[in-house]
Amino acid sequence: MTSTYASIILLFPLFSAAAILLGLKKKANISALVATGSALLTLVLSVLVLNAKEWSSVTLLQWSKVGGLELGIDLKIDQLSSGMMLVVTGVGALVHLFSLIYMKKDAGKARFFAGLSLFMFSMTGIVYSANLAMMFIFWELVGVSSYILIGHWFEKNSAADAAKKAFLTNRIGDFGFMIGILLLWAATREISFDGLSNAVAAGNMAPGLLAAATLCIFCGTVGKSAQFPLHVWLPDAMEGPTPVSALIHAATMVAAGVYMLVRVSFLIEASGWAADVIAWIGGISALLAALMATQQNDIKRVLAYSTLSQLGYMVMACGLLASEAGMFHLFTHAWFKAGLFLGSGAIIYACHHEQDIWKMGGLKDKMPVTFATFGLCTAALIAVPFTSGWWSKEAILEAAYKNDGLLFPIAAGTALLTAFYMTRLFVVVFFGKGRDSHVAGHAHEVPMLMRAPLIILAVLAVLAGFALIAGPVLGDEYAKYSQFHFSVPAIVSILTLALGVGLGLKLYAGRDREPVNIKLFANKFYFDELYAKIVKLCQDSVAAVARVLDGLLIDGVGVGGTRGFANMTGNALRRIQSGNLQGYACLFGAGVLVIVLLALL
Amino acid sequence: MPLPPGGAFNNRQPAARSGTNTNDPDRLSPLDLLIFLPIIAAVAMAFGAPARSAALAAAGANLLIALCLAFTFVPGDGFQFEARRAVLNSPAMGFNVGIDGLSLVMVLLTVLVTLAAVWVRPPKEGGEGFWYSSALLIAAGAMGAFVSTDLVFFYAFHELALIPTFLMIGMRGTGNNKDAAWKITIYLGFGSLVLLAGLAWLVVAAAAKGGEMTFDMAKLAAQARGIEGGTQEHIYLTLLIGFGILISLFPFHSWAAPAYASAPAPVAMLHSGVLKKFGLYGLLRVAVPMLPLGQSAEWIQHILIILLLGNILFIGLVTIAQKELDMVLGNSSVMHMGYIFLGIASGNAIGYGGAVLLMFAHGISIALLFALCAAVREKTGTLQFHRLGGMAKGAPVLGLLFGMGAFASIGLPGFANFAGEVNIFFGGFANKSDCGCLGWLEWATILALWGVVMSAVYMLRAYRAVFKGQPGQAVYGVTDIGQDTRIPALLLVAALLITGFFPNLLLDLVRPVVEALAPVSR
């Protein structure tokens, strides 16, 4: 039964997207309802799958078969995929509901909901993948849904550029991902996770090759989860509508990279030094992104860098061979970060699409529900004790503390920065007085259909870490993470929280302007500028040189002989040419005849 | 690589189940209809038949016939729907037709692109007869080449198709079309000569081993296996260059982009989509099965790998530097030939299967893009990026369809191109290496994978420049495409999606052929 449910969960959003594209496009409201209905249905079915606990594998489609290579759309239904599906469909359904209001008057509403449905289809495919090839297929499809949704307002140059940048950056990661798949297949002739796991366990792969392949696979994560050095696309992706940011660029798609690492944790465990590289990339991303977040003024960009930073935590956990902790943080983060993004969406909606936090202020009284839910989600993000984020961050700090002396201070520093920048955001947006009467002056609470998802997410942000919720979704072994015991990481966690919040309050309470100016952070360590320079140098100049070479060498000198010949015969033919079509064609016909005769003799 | 004698031809047998009888020499074949319906329509136009209706009727009928053939075709049963009409007895030559899975895929490609190509209306009034009859003659020539089982007709039909190609570019093209027409004529004429030399050498060398001279492909395949290794290699190289020029193999590619840029839409669609595949088809039909020692020679593989990387990496960079939509498409078409060559260079069934899939997919997607590119030119009067932008606002359907073509061509899963590419990449890693390290082919595959990033760069840049962002100066007041562009584009998109979701539909046809070309690697 579960396999039927899973197939429906996968295919229904595809039908919804196709139906909107093919017929419903002109009827925007019906399109929106179809997409939302499909999202709610998949949520119900995901709960049923999780409840039934019948783990199985099923081949949905034998996709390609030639020369001994068989690629199939195979669904793997186990605790991990079912739990992840609940996150995807849960956040997905709430975001669909929220979008019904948020995108109410948008001219491209039908297109938007078709994009959301396409995304749900692609993401489901990643989650249920039983083999690497299928995962790659849906990996790319997720990339294109993200491209479509980031570029939803495509008439804006910035949105069009951001969409392109996101897709291209991801393609660079996918380049490595595909090489990794090919290396693993060449060594083991397996692409299914089960088959690979057995082959690795049997020691069929040389350690060097295994490490290289693992790192190549990890490139996919670096792209999709926006890890250093491919992190540059995610902040720009905030050009998309805010519900998209909540669903795709916070809770689910960017977490797919981490989910994939959890799936291939058997590779990481066997890969030796490659695991250290993964842990360090995660740690560096977490710290760098947190530093950048401290100086952003766009409410969504603060959250985007925060997402980068939290994803860094999860990747670090996977690299430290604590993929359970990574998955746990993925789970809790999905709820509170989606809550934060939808909250910011409510704020932006109320503030007439203004996103600069320094133009907001004093929203606490005008939007009490948003204020409260945003507060609870913030508490979870900065790991206030006994919120969901506290339990999961604790698990990661624990892993860092046990495994590597140097990564622990990095993780703790990131925790401090997180508390600091979120306090800054919260204080500046909700407290003080409205700094711009046009923006915050007329703000009022958002409609019910937008409030309800906020409330649900805020409740989950607090409670999702407890065994009562995490256990059934992720598995009973996750119950151990929500049991408090005193340890160095726990104490450090509370200290960094107090310090970060204290510092944030001291610096930002009552301010109307940014008191701290650190250009390096505000300009994101100049990564974009650096990359732009490199790309310009490499791609454009080489391409220009290539074009000149193409014209000069190959056309001018290399095949110059032919060209001279061409002109000569051209002139000769022109002389013979009688100027009318028939004569012209006859000449060519005669030529063919001569050639055929030549062949015969 | 030990191959059974006869290679792809060894499993031919009287295909009783498909209702054809190979022993009846005067039989007609439904394949004759595929060749002659377009020619009859073209002749009818000369006698005053309404050009557009005649062309659509012939192309539509051909699509239906080809689909019927595809449904009655029995995969793995060798050549089917055969008819043999001897023209000469010694040397054995005849107007013989028949299709196996490989040719059937090319037939399907031809009929699909042909119908789409004749659906596109000429931009100016007048000269309709010439416009449509040229398109039909190109299609008939390509079709003849794909269904001929006699080397002479295989070659001659392709030559026949080139004539209307040259004429249309020279007489109905745009921009610098006279130069482009001469360039393509000379290049392809030269390529055809090299090819002719190679084919003649093959026939003569085979006859020296096997007695009587024959142009019958099946007999020739059996004979040619007797040729010594060194000679096989040299003939193979000659064929590679000859076919290579026709396929725009680096560095013989520079005719392609300008020719496609100035060609009228149906010609750009039919040549880049269908006729160019003749060279690739020829490699898989003639060079690979008949000259196995040439195909497996390491030094030839190395040459091919270097050249195909030129197609992918060098032309990839050239494409990125282009500032006009038609030049991006023309160059991208050259670049993508590199992947198909990679599949052929892999020498295993996975790579061959991927190559055939990509031949089909590329043909459909590039035809789609050229058709829509012509619509952009018609709507705005320009294809220069700096004058375009934001077209998806005024022309959403055009934007959507072009986007699908663009994403198909950069290998997005769901479209057939991805299925081809992914099999080619797996094919690049399918040969067991002795040293446990990466060989030429594996490194070439990795570099080719980088090409996938490059094609995303130029395609998305082009899409961004034409359809996204703020409207460019040439775009104000632009309207969407009408039914005459929508219907053929939808036909091609549907073909890409169906074969992209279910590539086994095509692979089921091709699998027996490619697995006979190379033993299954396990």
Side-chain angles (χ1 to χ4, degrees):
Chain A
M1 207 56 207
T2 49
S3 56
T4 315
Y5 289 159
S7 310
I8 298 174
I9 297 175
L10 177 65
L11 292 177
F12 219 80
L14 178 66
F15 294 149
S16 156
I20 295 173
L21 204 62
L22 290 177
L24 300 174
K25 212 173 174 182
K26 298 255 162 60
K27 303 186 178 80
N29 289 327
I30 297 179
S31 302
L33 290 177
V34 166
T36 310
S38 126
L40 288 169
L41 176 81
T42 57
L43 173 60
V44 172
L45 289 176
S46 312
V47 173
L48 290 180
V49 170
L50 207 49
N51 202 37
K53 284 199 186 297
E54 286 168 32
W55 308 144
S56 62
S57 286
V58 59
T59 298
L60 195 63
L61 172 71
Q62 201 198 47
W63 185 69
S64 155
K65 173 174 179 255
V66 66
L69 174 71
E70 288 181 36
L71 306 174
I73 303 299
D74 307 325
L75 310 187
K76 185 179 170 73
I77 303 144
D78 61 355
Q79 182 82 55
L80 180 63
S81 61
S82 306
M84 184 73 186
M85 246 0 268
L86 187 79
V87 174
V88 172
T89 54
V91 178
L94 293 175
V95 164
H96 274 81
L97 288 176
F98 189 89
S99 304
L100 286 179
I101 306 286
Y102 194 87
M103 301 299 283
K104 199 173 183 176
K105 291 172 192 146
D106 196 90
K109 187 169 161 185
R111 181 161 47 88
F112 175 82
F113 278 95
L116 280 188
S117 281
L118 181 66
F119 169 76
M120 293 299 282
F121 164 65
S122 321
M123 189 67 206
T124 309
I126 290 185
V127 174
Y128 278 136
S129 293
N131 66 61
L132 279 168
M134 173 180 171
M135 191 173 258
F136 186 85
I137 287 175
F138 286 96
W139 199 259
E140 290 273 305
L141 288 178
V142 158
V144 82
S145 349
S146 161
Y147 171 87
I148 292 169
L149 289 166
I150 296 171
H152 179 71
W153 291 309
F154 63 83
E155 309 94 322
K156 263 169 74 187
N157 281 339
S158 55
D161 288 332
K164 190 181 75 173
K165 183 174 177 181
F167 192 86
L168 295 181
T169 317
N170 267 293
R171 265 261 156 133
I172 295 174
D174 296 350
F175 164 67
F177 190 9
M178 192 71 208
I179 295 174
I181 296 174
L182 292 174
L183 285 174
L184 288 174
W185 180 75
T188 64
R189 298 287 161 182
E190 292 280 0
I191 49 164
S192 74
F193 294 117
D194 295 339
L196 276 171
S197 171
N198 293 337
V200 170
N204 287 349
M205 278 185 83
L209 185 63
L210 184 62
T214 307
L215 281 185
C216 284
I217 297 264
F218 175 63
C219 285
T221 299
V222 173
K224 193 88 15 196
S225 293
Q227 295 297 288
F228 166 82
L230 296 181
H231 60 277
V232 289
W233 67 269
L234 186 58
D236 288 23
M238 297 301 125
E239 289 288 341
T242 307
V244 167
S245 311
L247 176 61
I248 301 186
H249 304 116
T252 58
M253 177 185 99
V254 289
V258 177
Y259 175 78
M260 191 258 275
L261 288 185
V262 177
R263 259 284 178 244
V264 299
S265 56
F266 61 89
L267 280 181
I268 302 174
E269 277 156 27
S271 70
W273 56 271
D276 298 332
V277 176
I278 294 173
W280 273 96
I281 294 278
I284 291 170
S285 304
L287 185 64
L288 281 184
L291 287 171
M292 296 181 214
T294 57
Q295 288 278 295
Q296 303 302 317
N297 296 327
D298 181 318
I299 182 168
K300 283 180 72 182
R301 288 201 176 231
V302 177
L303 295 177
Y305 282 104
S306 162
T307 307
L308 286 182
S309 174
Q310 300 301 310
L311 289 167
Y313 266 137
M314 302 174 208
V315 169
M316 186 179 79
C318 292
L320 292 170
L321 310 187
S323 56
E324 264 185 21
M327 189 62 207
F328 190 34
H329 198 54
L330 187 166
F331 171 70
T332 60
H333 175 260
W335 308 115
F336 62 70
K337 189 52 72 63
L340 286 170
F341 265 109
L342 288 187
S344 80
I347 293 167
I348 293 166
Y349 185 81
C351 292
H352 312 291
H353 290 270
E354 179 57 59
Q355 304 194 9
D356 188 341
I357 55 172
W358 293 103
K359 291 188 178 160
M360 300 167 181
L363 294 178
K364 153 171 75 75
D365 304 321
K366 293 185 172 123
M367 310 176 72
V369 178
T370 308
F371 167 70
T373 58
F374 204 92
L376 288 174
C377 292
T378 303
L381 172 56
I382 63 179
V384 170
F386 308 112
T387 59
S388 67
W390 192 63
W391 299 116
S392 57
K393 195 178 283 185
E394 203 58 29
I396 292 177
L397 287 176
E398 194 87 43
Y401 183 69
K402 268 192 216 144
N403 280 279
D404 194 305
L406 264 172
L407 277 172
F408 181 65
I410 290 180
T414 306
L416 190 150
L417 288 165
T418 310
F420 172 72
Y421 66 70
M422 283 313 289
T423 307
R424 167 180 181 264
L425 178 71
F426 197 67
V427 166
V428 172
V429 170
F430 287 105
F431 290 89
K433 55 185 188 306
R435 297 179 192 84
D436 187 324
S437 57
H438 291 294
V439 174
H442 309 293
H444 49 79
E445 190 57 271
V446 291
M448 188 56 212
L449 206 53
M450 284 169 92
R451 283 203 305 267
L454 292 180
I455 294 166
I456 296 171
L457 287 168
V459 170
L460 284 169
V462 177
L463 300 180
F466 288 106
L468 195 67
I469 296 180
V473 176
L474 296 175
D476 296 331
E477 66 273 23
Y478 283 80
K480 66 170 181 276
Y481 291 115
S482 51
Q483 285 159 4
F484 182 72
H485 49 91
F486 268 108
S487 61
V488 177
I491 295 164
V492 170
S493 165
I494 293 172
L495 280 179
T496 52
L497 172 68
L499 213 62
V501 173
L503 206 62
L505 285 176
K506 178 154 174 40
L507 277 171
Y508 290 97
R511 299 275 180 168
D512 287 335
R513 243 178 310 149
E514 177 66 71
V516 198
N517 277 307
I518 306 174
K519 274 219 165 121
L520 187 65
F521 298 168
N523 290 314
K524 316 149 214 166
F525 292 89
Y526 298 97
F527 273 111
D528 279 314
E529 288 77 3
L530 181 71
Y531 288 173
K533 279 227 168 80
I534 293 174
V535 168
K536 205 167 178 54
L537 262 173
C538 291
Q539 214 76 281
D540 288 358
S541 64
V542 174
V545 169
R547 194 154 79 140
V548 172
L549 271 182
D550 196 36
L552 276 183
L553 265 179
I554 291 165
D555 242 15
V557 188
V559 199
T562 341
R563 199 178 210 182
F565 177 70
N567 290 336
M568 218 171 64
T569 39
N571 288 333
L573 281 172
R574 250 171 234 140
R575 224 161 279 160
I576 305 167
Q577 179 192 9
S578 52
N580 62 32
L581 170 65
Q582 283 85 350
Y584 212 56
C586 277
L587 197 65
F588 272 95
V592 174
L593 214 64
V594 169
I595 287 168
V596 173
L597 283 175
L598 274 177
L600 287 174
L601 295 175
Chain B
M1 214 172 10
L3 280 170
F9 298 93
N10 67 345
N11 48 9
R12 58 182 283 145
Q13 45 187 264
R17 267 174 293 168
S18 55
T20 57
N21 185 348
T22 47
N23 298 328
D24 183 354
D26 295 323
R27 236 192 115 77
L28 288 176
S29 160
L31 299 172
D32 297 328
L33 278 178
L34 292 178
I35 303 173
F36 287 106
L37 267 184
I39 295 178
I40 292 168
V43 171
M45 284 175 212
F47 288 99
R52 185 174 170 81
S53 314
L56 283 174
N62 261 3
L63 177 61
L64 291 179
I65 295 170
L67 285 177
C68 289
L69 293 184
F71 285 120
T72 46
F73 183 85
V74 183
D77 218 7
F79 280 83
Q80 294 165 37
F81 311 110
E82 284 198 275
R84 312 173 60 79
R85 277 80 42 129
V87 175
L88 283 177
N89 283 329
S90 177
M93 182 191 115
F95 179 36
N96 305 336
V97 293
I99 49 172
D100 65 352
L102 171 61
S103 357
L104 178 55
V105 171
M106 304 318 290
V107 166
L108 290 171
L109 168 67
T110 309
V111 293
L112 279 165
V113 174
T114 305
L115 182 56
V118 295
W119 216 303
V120 175
R121 275 186 192 276
K124 286 186 232 99
E125 294 285 309
E128 283 205 333
F130 175 56
W131 176 277
Y132 289 110
S133 57
S134 299
L136 288 178
L137 288 177
I138 298 174
M143 183 63 78
F146 292 138
V147 302
S148 289
T149 56
D150 182 283
L151 209 57
V152 175
F153 282 88
F154 160 80
Y155 179 86
F157 270 118
H158 172 256
E159 290 296 296
L160 179 78
L162 286 180
I163 299 166
T165 310
F166 301 150
L167 290 178
M168 276 283 271
I169 296 175
M171 299 175 68
R172 295 296 293 267
T174 49
N176 217 354
N177 60 325
K178 293 280 188 286
D179 279 0
W182 281 115
K183 198 167 172 184
I184 183 176
T185 307
I186 298 305
Y187 259 91
L188 297 192
F190 181 67
S192 299
L193 275 178
V194 177
L195 174 60
L196 185 65
L199 293 176
W201 191 357
L202 171 68
V203 171
V204 171
K209 293 292 156 193
E212 207 172 332
M213 187 185 274
T214 179
F215 292 100
D216 185 274
M217 285 190 188
K219 289 184 193 140
L220 189 61
Q223 274 186 357
R225 285 169 181 272
I227 305 172
E228 299 86 0
T231 316
Q232 280 205 20
E233 290 171 13
H234 290 117
I235 300 175
Y236 188 98
L237 189 66
T238 315
L239 291 180
L240 183 63
I241 294 171
F243 283 127
I245 294 174
L246 304 180
I247 315 165
S248 63
L249 174 63
F250 179 87
F252 314 112
H253 63 274
S254 62
W255 58 269
Y260 295 152
S262 19
V267 172
M269 292 166 73
L270 278 166
H271 194 278
S272 65
V274 179
L275 204 52
K276 198 153 86 163
K277 306 298 178 296
F278 164 78
L280 295 158
Y281 173 78
L283 283 174
L284 287 171
R285 175 100 295 157
V286 179
V288 173
M290 298 189 195
L291 301 161
L293 298 176
Q295 163 71 8
S296 59
E298 223 167 50
W299 65 276
I300 292 183
Q301 193 201 35
H302 292 176
I303 291 176
L304 180 54
I305 282 176
I306 291 167
L307 297 186
L308 73 89
L309 285 177
N311 272 66
I312 294 174
L313 299 177
F314 183 77
I315 306 301
L317 288 170
V318 171
T319 315
I320 291 175
Q322 301 303 318
K323 308 276 182 239
E324 283 138 26
L325 185 58
D326 49 355
M327 289 302 278
V328 168
L329 296 182
N331 278 294
S332 86
S333 152
V334 176
M335 178 197 180
H336 284 130
M337 292 304 107
Y339 294 102
I340 303 174
F341 278 114
L342 181 62
I344 293 175
S346 74
N348 56 56
I350 304 174
Y352 293 151
V356 178
L357 271 185
L358 191 53
M359 282 156 72
F360 178 85
H362 174 267
I364 304 275
S365 62
I366 195 73
L368 171 65
L369 288 171
F370 273 127
L372 298 174
C373 171
V376 172
R377 192 206 306 265
E378 204 176 311
K379 299 273 171 204
T380 63
T382 183
L383 291 173
Q384 293 175 323
F385 289 151
H386 70 94
R387 301 186 57 210
L388 293 166
M391 264 187 94
K393 181 109 180 137
V397 177
L398 175 60
L400 176 69
L401 291 171
F402 195 97
M404 293 178 108
F407 274 104
S409 97
I410 62 175
L412 187 79
F415 295 104
N417 308 56
F418 172 79
E421 282 177 18
V422 82
N423 275 306
I424 289 171
F425 295 143
F426 273 98
F429 276 77
N431 298 342
K432 281 259 185 315
S433 72
D434 302 326
C435 61
C437 53
L438 301 182
W440 277 71
L441 193 63
E442 286 80 6
W443 281 113
T445 307
I446 290 174
L447 289 172
L449 270 166
W450 183 252
V452 175
V453 178
M454 294 204 296
S455 36
V457 171
Y458 62 67
M459 259 317 166
L460 289 195
R461 268 192 189 180
Y463 192 51
R464 157 80 179 82
V466 177
F467 290 97
K468 305 278 170 140
Q470 285 172 341
Q473 45 171 306
V475 174
Y476 283 103
V478 82
T479 52
D480 213 337
I481 47 174
Q483 298 298 340
D484 286 341
T485 315
R486 269 181 213 202
I487 294 171
L490 280 173
L491 174 75
L492 297 176
V493 166
L496 284 174
L497 282 172
I498 292 170
T499 49
F501 270 65
F502 308 103
N504 266 344
L505 289 177
L506 294 181
L507 284 175
D508 285 342
L509 304 175
V510 173
R511 195 179 304 121
V513 182
V514 293
E515 287 181 356
L517 285 178
V520 175
S521 57
R522 255 289 171 188

